[in-house]
Amino acid sequence: MKFSEQWLREWVSPQLATQALADQITMAGLEVDAVESVAAIFEGVVVAEVLEKIQHPDADKLSVCRVDDGSGEPVQVVCGAPNVAVGQRVPFARVGAVLPGDFKIRKAKLRGQESRGMICSASELGLEEETSPGILELPASAPVGEDFRAWLGLDDHTIEVDLTPNRGDCLSVKGMAREVGVLNRLPVAGPDIAPVAATHDGTFAVRVEDPEHCPRYIGRLIKGVDVTAETPLWMVERLRRSGIRSIDPVVDVTNYVMLELGQPLHAFDCANLHGAVIVRLAREGERLVLLDGQEVTLADTTLVIADERGPLAIAGVMGGEHSGVNAETRDIFLESAFFAPLAVAGQARNYGLHTDASHRFERGVDPLLAREAAERATALLLEITGGEPGPLVEVASGEHLPGERQVRLRAARLEQGLSKALPADEVTDILERLGMAVKADALGWSAAAPSWRFDIAIEEDLIEEVARIHGYNRLPVRRPAARLALRPDHESRTPLARLRRQMVARGYQEAVTYSFVAPELQKALLPEAVSPVLANPISADLSVMRASLFPGLVRALQHNLNRQQTRVRLFETGLIFRGELDDLQQLPMLGALVCGSRDPEGWAAGRDGVDFFDLKGDLESLLAMGGEPEAWRFEPATHSALHPGQCARILHRGEEAGWIGTLHPAVRAQLGLKMDAVLFEVRLDALTHGRVPAFTPLSRFPEVRRDLAFLVDEDLPVQALLDTIQGQAGEWLTESRLFDVYRGKGVAEGRKSVALGLTWQHPSRTLNDEEINQLVDAIVTESRQHLGAELRG
């Protein structure tokens, strides 16, 4: 909610400076986001009247004007604005004036003609951000010679308040004035709103077919309005200072009343209404062109305002283009209604809309306000556009209107909640100043919530109201006292924080990406993936939940490469989502991506790029932190996002736990990436699982090592050989290490030499050669029989 401080002070004006007033509003629970001046700083500008205008003799686009600035002697000025005319009242910067941007006005000659001053446009005075097409025309009532800044009240501030959804009652100057009045114990004095007498009997029939969603509907027929009339400058300024652009007097009045009282209104062109005005649910397949030009297909859950021919507006959201007011309009039907919050909630978002009206109706508008707002709007319309008002037509359903809410507040519960006992008279006074009817008794109070406070329903709501009006800063500050047990430390689990620190220690930076990704990116990486699609995404490229961490990491890589960051090392932890909503799996994962050079740039560093084994080494450092690296295995496999020859499935205790590999060349080309990237993701529940560390006594006896070189088929995984060795080497084998793989001279084509170092050690005695030889023979025999391996000579 954005409003003018001067406008607020017309309702209630505490003896507080602007910043003090903003601080007070914030401390009352209505956070002030910004306080800004309504106009840039300037001086020396007065109201003047154009007395004469002649064509500049040496310039087609310039005029030589004489203006009366109230000094007693006409002043000559050269003006290039196309809309300057004799008889206009205009803002005039005298010689010596200083305009925004520290622009000083001096005497000058323009194409040989003397100019002593400048007739100003709105943008030159800082009243518009975009360049104005001409000078600012003032009403004929503007006093010549008056200081323009003082006359227009530009020494003012806009106060922008960020309201929580439960405080829809403050989405108006009236609502904010109520709050300020309560906080400062001041009366609130708004404009005098009297019923407007009808001058004709004409009405428009109204039929409410859905009273549950529209318990009150008020309308009035106003004939003979002049839509071409000019909206008064004071109203245009108040709208501008509230962030709303002036359009035409009818729209301006409805917007003004909405800002002033909090009741959205709408005006229909009677020439485009047929039969009766009907409030009903839309019928399946009905279409409506909205005021913004967008054509929508209406759902059968949408409340609409219609006539006998079809929908005219989405109730409480936006009117239709064909029934709206235009320059040809002569008769209007003014609508002021109460729509139940649930009838409007979500409707605007369903159609990709968000309007000031829907913002208010979703949060709740005072159900007793519709008649008052209609009378106020009628009076303003008659004042500006003229016309003949008819009688108000009201259709109301008492059983569906919100009833009185009685809320009980116990004195003991209030003291417990505030940690402070307040005098009963003060509590009663606070509740009454908030507009509640209060009855006090020995145990507490019974309060009837006012019609504009939809958020007061339970005892805690009243406690909050008393606390904020009494003053949060006046409540005692106490430290909570509690017996807190130490959090258990499960030694068999690796904390996520340790995994993160390990990745950072290995040169990675943590990325935090959205849990939703672009559908085309996810399809490129995971064409078979199924994950939920968002009904109302924040943007089209963030519309599906991620089925893997890969899309987010690849998007982050693109972002960095596009900014000349060629060495990228990222990791991320988070949930992935697989399946439809009714059978959704949410799995915590850890993923990482590397791209670019292996080492940071430096005189002693090489220029080799990272490869599969660099990332595998980083991953294995994480796997080792659980204390059971033997529980993990890597096996060749294929994945849609990864290079077929540089890809492995990660297994934990025989079950799939993740993937590692180089980004598929086809995917890389599709995404426009010019560099290779290697990435992995692994399930966090498996990664954090480990075993409790246990001490094993060190053997005092010597180790025995044997080095074996096997000739095996080229496509045989080394892991198969290691598994065979592990099964035959006995319980005293302490280490098996691969130290060489050779292909070339002396090794047949299609074969490779794999050299392994095997170490045995007995905990209580020295192993002899005979025992070791038996184990080596068993290894060689088993490897020959099952793997076709031969010892290399």
Side-chain angles (χ1 to χ4, degrees):
M1 174 63 188
K2 188 176 181 181
F3 57 90
S4 157
E5 180 188 356
Q6 286 183 358
W7 194 2
L8 175 70
R9 288 187 182 275
E10 288 185 8
W11 287 71
V12 58
S13 185
Q15 298 300 311
L16 296 172
T18 302
Q19 190 57 53
L21 176 61
D23 293 342
Q24 185 185 65
I25 293 172
T26 295
M27 287 304 297
L30 311 174
E31 183 180 359
V32 173
D33 270 355
V35 178
E36 299 176 346
S37 297
V38 302
I41 300 300
F42 62 85
E43 60 182 29
V45 180
V46 298
V47 176
E49 181 180 0
V50 179
L51 301 176
E52 180 181 307
K53 172 190 172 184
I54 60 174
Q55 179 65 45
H56 192 293
D58 297 319
D60 294 339
K61 295 185 178 181
L62 297 179
S63 302
V64 180
C65 303
R66 292 173 65 249
V67 301
D68 177 9
D69 66 350
S71 61
E73 181 178 344
V75 180
Q76 178 172 302
V77 60
V78 176
C79 180
N83 63 328
V84 65
V86 174
Q88 283 179 337
R89 301 290 170 94
V90 294
F92 177 69
R94 291 170 169 166
V95 172
V98 180
L99 298 186
D102 199 29
F103 177 62
K104 297 180 180 179
I105 302 299
R106 296 182 175 89
K107 292 181 181 179
K109 280 193 175 183
L110 299 177
R111 297 287 184 91
Q113 296 295 317
E114 184 181 47
S115 181
R116 292 183 294 145
M118 185 173 78
I119 302 176
C120 302
S121 67
S123 58
E124 288 166 339
L125 296 174
L127 301 179
E128 290 181 359
E129 293 185 4
E130 298 180 0
T131 302
S132 304
I135 60 170
L136 177 61
E137 300 180 43
L138 305 181
S141 59
V144 173
E146 183 82 12
D147 181 270
F148 176 76
R149 190 177 189 89
W151 174 73
L152 202 55
L154 296 179
D155 292 322
D156 185 16
H157 298 86
T158 58
I159 300 175
E160 187 169 0
V161 181
D162 185 14
L163 296 171
T164 52
N166 64 315
R167 293 308 307 271
D169 62 294
C170 291
L171 287 167
S172 65
V173 175
K174 180 180 181 179
M176 292 303 305
R178 271 195 304 253
E179 288 292 305
V180 174
V182 170
L183 295 170
N184 294 280
R185 298 178 180 272
L186 294 174
V188 177
D192 183 20
I193 302 176
V196 176
T199 59
H200 65 83
D201 296 331
T203 60
F204 216 93
V206 174
R207 189 166 76 246
V208 177
E209 296 182 356
D210 191 348
E212 180 180 356
H213 290 153
C214 179
R216 171 170 283 133
Y217 190 94
I218 292 175
R220 167 174 270 155
L221 178 62
I222 305 177
K223 297 181 177 181
V225 297
D226 180 8
V227 179
T228 63
E230 186 175 353
T231 303
L233 187 59
W234 62 267
M235 182 177 288
V236 173
E237 268 297 293
R238 286 188 173 177
L239 292 173
R240 180 184 74 84
R241 297 176 196 186
S242 299
I244 295 180
R245 181 174 57 89
S246 174
I247 298 176
D248 63 55
V250 176
V251 175
D252 291 348
V253 165
T254 57
N255 284 333
Y256 180 84
V257 174
M258 177 184 68
L259 291 172
E260 183 180 61
L261 302 181
Q263 171 70 50
L265 304 105
H266 186 66
F268 296 97
D269 185 345
C270 287
N272 295 319
L273 299 183
H274 304 277
V277 170
I278 307 167
V279 185
R280 60 171 173 82
L281 290 176
R283 301 186 180 104
E284 191 66 38
E286 284 187 319
R287 301 182 66 81
L288 176 65
V289 179
L290 300 171
L291 282 171
D292 62 358
Q294 175 186 355
E295 184 175 9
V296 297
T297 300
L298 300 170
D300 58 5
T301 57
T302 300
L303 189 69
V304 298
I305 312 300
D307 62 7
E308 301 294 351
R309 293 190 177 183
L312 304 171
I314 300 177
V317 178
M318 184 180 284
E321 182 179 59
H322 301 303
S323 62
V325 174
N326 56 64
E328 310 301 323
T329 300
R330 292 294 173 265
D331 302 332
I332 63 172
F333 180 73
L334 182 66
E335 169 194 280
S336 180
F338 170 70
F339 300 113
L342 290 179
V344 181
Q347 293 297 336
R349 285 184 291 278
N350 289 342
Y351 298 105
L353 303 169
H354 181 269
T355 64
D356 290 328
S358 67
H359 188 75
R360 286 163 171 79
F361 278 124
E362 286 176 346
R363 286 153 177 76
V365 173
D366 185 355
L368 304 181
L369 187 60
R371 179 175 287 271
E372 179 184 6
E375 298 287 10
R376 175 65 167 158
T378 301
L380 290 171
L381 283 170
L382 297 181
E383 178 184 336
I384 299 169
T385 66
E388 302 175 2
L392 284 179
V393 175
E394 179 175 359
V395 178
S397 174
E399 63 178 304
H400 294 108
L401 284 167
E404 185 180 84
R405 300 181 304 283
Q406 289 286 341
V407 184
R408 181 73 181 165
L409 175 61
R410 295 164 292 169
R413 179 68 183 88
L414 178 64
E415 182 177 352
Q416 179 189 27
L418 303 186
S419 297
K420 181 178 183 179
L422 298 182
D425 290 345
E426 181 181 352
V427 176
T428 301
D429 178 60
I430 289 174
L431 297 178
E432 288 179 343
R433 282 189 284 132
L434 286 166
M436 304 182 198
V438 182
K439 293 181 181 179
D441 55 41
L443 298 178
W445 302 265
S446 180
S451 59
W452 59 84
R453 291 300 299 270
F454 282 75
D455 59 318
I456 295 178
I458 59 177
E459 187 174 34
E460 284 71 17
D461 296 330
L462 293 181
I463 294 173
E464 179 186 0
E465 293 301 300
V466 172
R468 70 184 190 86
I469 302 301
H470 175 73
Y472 292 126
N473 54 349
R474 296 172 61 190
L475 298 178
V477 177
R478 295 182 181 176
R479 294 181 178 86
R483 293 184 178 181
L484 302 177
L486 293 175
R487 186 173 60 180
D489 185 8
H490 300 286
E491 292 186 80
S492 64
R493 302 194 67 80
T494 305
L496 178 58
R498 282 188 59 200
L499 298 174
R500 284 175 167 149
R501 286 197 297 269
Q502 175 72 1
M503 292 299 288
V504 171
R506 297 184 75 89
Y508 288 78
Q509 292 180 308
E510 185 169 9
V512 180
T513 66
Y514 286 113
S515 296
F516 21 88
V517 296
E520 60 274 8
L521 176 60
Q522 180 149 293
K523 187 175 182 181
L525 294 167
L526 308 161
E528 304 298 325
V530 177
S531 62
V533 179
L534 301 181
N536 295 295
I538 59 176
S539 65
D541 60 347
L542 295 171
S543 60
V544 297
M545 303 302 291
R546 64 186 179 194
S548 165
L549 296 182
F550 287 171
L553 289 170
V554 170
R555 180 69 77 194
L557 172 64
Q558 288 179 309
H559 185 84
N560 280 274
L561 293 179
N562 290 340
R563 287 155 181 80
Q564 294 79 48
Q565 301 301 309
T566 56
R567 186 174 187 270
V568 180
R569 301 172 75 86
L570 299 173
F571 79 95
E572 179 177 17
T573 61
L575 291 175
I576 64 172
F577 308 86
R578 291 176 178 170
E580 301 292 353
L581 280 176
D582 54 355
D583 186 27
L584 184 65
Q585 286 184 296
Q586 301 185 58
L587 304 175
M589 306 289 283
L590 186 147
L593 177 147
V594 292
C595 177
S597 61
R598 177 174 291 127
D599 301 309
E601 185 178 13
W603 67 271
R607 297 188 178 182
D608 295 340
V610 291
D611 59 23
F612 175 90
F613 294 101
D614 290 310
L615 186 64
K616 183 172 181 283
D618 293 331
L619 174 58
E620 287 176 332
S621 75
L622 296 179
L623 306 183
M625 295 177 71
E628 48 176 6
E630 69 280 358
W632 295 88
R633 296 174 65 90
F634 296 83
E635 66 175 24
T638 57
H639 186 285
S640 59
L642 304 177
H643 194 299
Q646 301 177 38
C647 171
R649 179 186 286 111
I650 305 169
L651 302 176
H652 179 253
R653 299 185 184 277
E655 295 183 2
E656 182 179 312
W659 290 86
I660 181 172
T662 303
L663 193 64
H664 198 294
V667 174
R668 196 186 73 182
Q670 182 178 346
L671 299 177
L673 298 175
K674 298 181 179 179
M675 302 178 67
D676 275 331
V678 191
L679 58 169
F680 76 73
E681 69 173 352
V682 62
R683 284 204 335 261
L684 262 179
D685 58 345
L687 198 57
T688 57
H689 185 275
R691 64 183 172 201
V692 177
F695 173 72
T696 302
L698 296 177
S699 175
R700 296 183 291 109
F701 298 91
E703 296 178 341
V704 179
R705 172 166 171 150
R706 294 286 190 272
D707 291 345
L708 303 177
F710 290 97
L711 293 172
V712 297
D713 290 340
E714 177 69 44
D715 58 357
L716 180 74
V718 173
Q719 186 65 49
L721 193 57
L722 291 172
D723 290 343
T724 300
I725 291 171
Q726 193 71 36
Q728 300 298 319
E731 59 180 314
W732 305 320
L733 182 71
T734 59
E735 184 179 24
S736 57
R737 182 184 299 273
L738 171 69
F739 64 85
D740 183 54
V741 177
Y742 173 74
R743 303 172 182 84
K745 185 177 180 181
V747 176
E749 187 176 352
R751 304 276 280 179
K752 62 184 175 182
S753 171
V754 178
L756 300 162
L758 308 179
T759 303
W760 288 269
Q761 187 179 35
H762 198 284
S764 59
R765 64 181 176 86
T766 301
L767 294 170
N768 57 52
D769 287 344
E770 183 180 351
E771 291 173 308
I772 299 302
N773 290 338
Q774 288 178 356
L775 295 174
V776 170
D777 290 343
I779 291 171
V780 172
T781 301
E782 186 71 16
S783 300
R784 181 185 300 114
Q785 291 178 354
H786 290 88
L787 303 178
E790 297 290 342
L791 276 179
R792 182 180 175 189

